[in-house]
Amino acid sequence: MSRPADQKTERYQIRIAPAQKAIIARAAALSHQDVADFILNKVVPEAQAVIEAAEVTKVSDRNFTRILDLLEHPPKPNAKLRAAIEALPDTL
C-alpha cells in the first residue's frame, strides 16, 4: 500500500513507548517497508474488519430464506405483539 508522492495525506500522531517503537521499526525494516507504510498496512485492514463486523450481519442461506419468507408473509399479530404496540409512545 505504498503512497504516491502527490497524494494528499494527513498527519496522525500517537504516543508510544520506546520499546514498542523499536519493535515496530524492526518489523517494518524486516518487511522492507517504511514505518508509516508498515503501520497503515496492518491497521487499515483491521479497521475495515471492525467496521464490517459492526455493520454487516451474515446469515446462512436457510435463515436468509426464512427472513425473506417472514417479510413477504408476516405472521398475524398475537396478543403479546398487540400489547407491545399499545405500550409504544405516541411520538413514534
Side-chain angles (χ1 to χ4, degrees):
M1 182 187 336
S2 190
R3 295 162 289 155
D6 62 344
Q7 183 180 0
K8 291 185 179 183
T9 60
E10 293 187 28
R11 180 175 294 274
Y12 198 95
Q13 293 181 323
I14 61 170
R15 297 214 179 266
I16 186 170
Q20 292 171 321
K21 183 177 178 182
I23 290 169
I24 293 169
R26 182 173 179 206
L30 291 169
S31 300
H32 307 290
Q33 301 176 61
D34 66 32
V35 171
D37 283 338
F38 179 81
I39 291 171
L40 287 174
N41 287 332
K42 300 301 179 188
V43 171
V44 171
E46 180 65 21
Q48 289 170 327
V50 168
I51 291 167
E52 182 177 336
E55 295 181 348
V56 175
T57 301
K58 296 181 181 181
V59 296
S60 67
D61 289 342
R62 177 176 168 259
N63 287 339
F64 184 72
T65 301
R66 177 76 174 129
I67 291 167
L68 289 180
D69 183 55
L70 286 169
L71 288 171
E72 292 175 5
H73 307 98
K76 301 233 185 278
N78 60 22
K80 283 186 177 181
L81 180 58
R82 284 193 287 277
I85 292 170
E86 294 286 328
L88 289 173
D90 292 335
T91 58
L92 286 179

